[in-house]
Each structure stands twice: as C-alpha cells, then as structure tokens.
Amino acid sequence: MQYNPGWNSSSVNLLHVRAVGPADTLHYIWSSIGAPAVLLVATESRNSSLGINWSRLLSGSPAGAVWIDPPSSVVYATALVFTKVFEYRDTKVAEKLFYPTYDLSNFSWDSINHTLNPTALTAEFRGVPAADPTGSFSNGSVAFRVTAYEAGGRDGPLPSLLHTANSSKVEFVLAGVAPRGNGSRFALEVATVEELGVAQKLRSARSIDDEYTPTIFEMLSLGAESHNASSTLSFLQWKATAYGSRTPRREDSIQCWAESLQEANWTLPTSSIVRAYFGEGVGTTYTVSAINISFGGEEGGLYQEKRYLSWSALLGFGQPPMDTFSPLVISITAVALGTPILMLLVGTCVVLFAQRKRYSEYEPIN
C-alpha cells in the first residue's frame, strides 16, 4: 500500500494497492479526489508501476495525469465510482418521496493517513457534505472502508464474504446521519466505467446454504463481460443484506436490493481519478453504467433506531469467488434425504422377505 505516492501533502487522498503475481501485477487506485472511486488495472508485467502528475491531477483538466508504466503491459482497466447517496420514503400518495440528494463529489474527506494500516491492509475514507444546511451530518458521516487481501479466505464479521488474493473489499458505512423524515430509507448509486465492447451484467444466485450469512440466501454480482468472450473480466459482488450495528448479528440485518442496471452517461460526476486515467472520452470512448443499491425494510425502522448502516461488497478481477456447500450442510442434507430413503428400502426388504416365509398346513387342491 502507498499513500499519495510522490506527494507530501495529506490534503487529498490517493491510495495505491499493488499486488504482484508470478507474471502479472494488479493495481487498485482508490481516491476521494472528486467523487470516491477506485481504478482497477491488470497488467502482464511484474514490474509495472503507477505514474502520477500531481499538478495536472489537482487541476481542472486532469486527463492524462494517471498512467501505468509501461502502458503496453496493461491488459484490462475499469473503474467504480460511488456517486450519490439518496434518501427517500414511501408514501401512500406517490411511490417515493425523495429528499435532496447527497452528491459525494461535493463532500469534504478526512485524511486517510490516520486510518491507514499497512499491516492489516485497511484504510477508511470518511467524509461529510461541504455544505450541510439541515444539520443532518452534525454528528454523522459517510465512510468507505477498504480492505486488501494477501491470500484467499473468509471474513469473520457478517456477511462473511469469501475472498481471494485477486480481490478487495469495500464497506459503505452511514453512521450518525440524522434522517430527514420518518421512515427514511437510503440508496447508494454506483457507476462503472468500461471500454467499448465490454458490458456490465447484473446476476443473482440463490442457495439453500446460509451457514455463513444466516437467513440470507441470495448473492448478487455485477460482472464485466466482453462481447467477444464469455469470461468475466471484473466483478462487484455482495450479499443481499446490510447491517444496522457496528458488531453485526443476524437480528441486525437490513433488507438490501438492487435496482435495474442502466446506461448512465448523464450521471457520472467529475471524478478526477477516472478522468485522469481514461481521459475526456468517458461516455464516448468508454461506456458508463449505474446501479442503485437500496437499503431498508419496513418503514426503515432499524436505521431510525440505531442510526447505523453498513454494506459490504467484494471487487476484483476475473470470476467472483463462489461458495460451495459446506460439510455441515452436506451432512444435514444427506441425513434429511437419506433417512426416509433408507427406511423405505428397509421396509420394502422386510415385506418381500415376509412374503417368501408364508406357508400353510393345508395341502393345495389339485
């Protein structure tokens, strides 16, 4: 992990996570310059490095300020931008009543130098609106917690996402923010940037195995797929749940669902890190899609009570990790299905054996 490489000031945040493999390198560049975003770049060189022109990056025209050296080593690049937080409530008169949107590109972000932990490979971007006329953020904040991984495994805290060394985790946290109405619900808008010829697809997978995330049977993923190949290039993956506690338990679960994926050239705000790498062709040479992740059950009661919401997602390169049935679930299923079948087989054998043993003291009549 590198914080603001080549820049001595902590007035802005740029975090470079570099993972070196046997013949390639994965780059994750997180930034809160503009809207919070992460740039993912895969290269086929073990020696590829990040280059930054800081004066251009912090100017009004950041195009070309961020690059990977050598450029010929880059095999794939994409970006995720966390653009807006919506607050709304359902009404009987209309479907939804929206309050003024929180545009994350207009937030003021704390220095992550205080939360960066190179040993645990974690960092936290925390921000509040530059202008807060309603005072909703007087005791609250929005945060994006970033975690990188050195090896495969499973997170301890719920939702206990399964990860690989090729992936990272981002946790969206809304803490202490005062709702502007009774029964407020929240939604996070996520935009993706892809090269032409690559399309994002939203998929849902259901499983009867909820051992690691109790009562949650659905996994959602947003995957980038090339039109010329069926393989997945990158992904954003999450369980269909959020949590309303700093130490989440099953009863703290908050309903989470995804709206339909849409073309969103109109919704991408000025994000310096994205335009710095992709240039001014975002929206023409590159396609932008957006999806809303919504949180809140009936009347949004849990957030009203605790004023805390956290949602975790995994992002990375290639296919997203898939859970397999655990030995515990396989054993339970085998017992549940095997016992009736075994009883049926034993009963059938007993009946057949009893029929063969039948005899009579009378001679048959010829």
Side-chain angles (χ1 to χ4, degrees):
M1 280 185 163
Q2 292 177 297
Y3 174 59
N4 288 351
W7 186 253
N8 295 324
S9 173
S10 60
S11 59
V12 294
N13 291 318
L14 188 145
L15 178 66
H16 178 214
V17 182
R18 183 170 176 264
V20 181
D24 55 5
T25 304
L26 305 179
H27 298 269
Y28 293 84
I29 301 103
W30 300 84
S31 175
S32 60
I33 304 172
V38 55
L39 175 65
L40 291 79
V41 183
T43 70
E44 56 184 3
S45 168
R46 296 187 77 253
N47 300 314
S48 61
S49 59
L50 174 67
I52 303 175
N53 183 325
W54 280 98
S55 59
R56 181 180 298 178
L57 178 62
L58 300 178
S59 70
S61 302
V66 173
W67 67 92
I68 297 295
D69 207 12
S72 58
S73 67
V74 176
V75 293
Y76 174 69
T78 184
L80 289 173
V81 187
F82 303 99
T83 52
K84 300 171 185 175
V85 174
F86 300 103
E87 182 181 351
Y88 65 94
R89 64 184 178 91
D90 291 332
T91 64
K92 295 181 180 180
V93 179
E95 290 186 358
K96 294 178 181 178
L97 172 64
F98 281 86
Y99 298 97
T101 302
Y102 293 121
D103 189 335
L104 296 179
S105 64
N106 295 328
F107 272 46
S108 175
W109 300 93
D110 296 341
S111 171
I112 67 169
N113 201 25
H114 307 298
T115 61
L116 180 62
N117 188 332
T119 303
L121 300 178
T122 59
E124 179 176 309
F125 297 81
R126 181 181 299 174
V128 296
D132 184 23
T134 63
S136 297
F137 279 79
S138 57
N139 295 309
S141 64
V142 165
F144 293 92
R145 295 174 182 166
V146 176
T147 303
Y149 300 107
E150 291 183 317
R154 185 181 297 276
D155 275 353
L158 292 174
S160 304
L161 294 174
L162 180 68
H163 62 261
T164 68
N166 293 346
S167 58
S168 295
K169 185 182 76 170
V170 59
E171 182 181 2
F172 167 67
V173 178
L174 194 68
V177 178
R180 289 172 285 183
N182 293 327
S184 284
R185 304 181 187 184
F186 294 90
L188 173 66
E189 184 183 71
V190 183
T192 65
V193 180
E194 295 289 348
E195 298 177 354
L196 295 179
V198 178
Q200 290 281 351
K201 292 187 178 180
L202 179 64
R203 301 187 184 278
S204 172
R206 294 182 178 272
S207 171
I208 63 171
D209 189 351
D210 70 336
E211 177 184 359
Y212 299 107
T213 313
T215 72
I216 307 300
F217 300 95
E218 184 180 14
M219 177 77 83
L220 295 157
S221 63
L222 194 62
E225 299 179 5
S226 173
H227 295 318
N228 300 325
S230 58
S231 60
T232 302
L233 301 173
S234 65
F235 65 87
L236 180 71
Q237 181 188 59
W238 66 95
K239 283 277 193 176
T241 184
Y243 291 94
S245 172
R246 298 178 188 275
T247 54
R249 298 168 297 174
R250 184 186 65 177
E251 54 267 32
D252 299 318
S253 177
I254 296 175
Q255 185 181 357
C256 167
W257 68 95
E259 307 289 346
S260 59
L261 182 68
Q262 296 183 355
E263 293 265 341
N265 294 344
W266 50 269
T267 194
L268 185 65
T270 301
S271 177
S272 295
I273 192 69
V274 173
R275 296 191 182 276
Y277 183 83
F278 291 104
E280 299 299 332
V282 175
T284 54
T285 309
Y286 302 91
T287 58
V288 180
S289 304
I291 188 171
N292 289 343
I293 314 296
S294 299
F295 315 99
E298 292 295 328
E299 300 180 356
L302 189 58
Y303 183 81
Q304 293 277 357
E305 178 185 350
K306 298 188 176 181
R307 295 198 178 180
Y308 188 88
L309 183 150
S310 69
W311 169 76
S312 299
L314 200 70
L315 67 155
F317 299 90
Q319 292 282 352
M322 298 299 295
D323 269 316
T324 56
F325 287 110
S326 65
L328 175 62
V329 172
I330 293 175
S331 301
I332 293 173
T333 305
V335 171
L337 298 179
T339 301
I341 295 174
L342 181 61
M343 292 177 64
L344 181 62
L345 290 175
V346 171
T348 302
C349 293
V350 170
V351 170
L352 292 175
F353 184 74
Q355 288 179 343
R356 288 187 177 184
K357 294 285 288 182
R358 286 181 181 177
Y359 65 93
S360 174
E361 295 177 353
Y362 297 96
E363 292 292 331
I365 296 176
N366 188 354

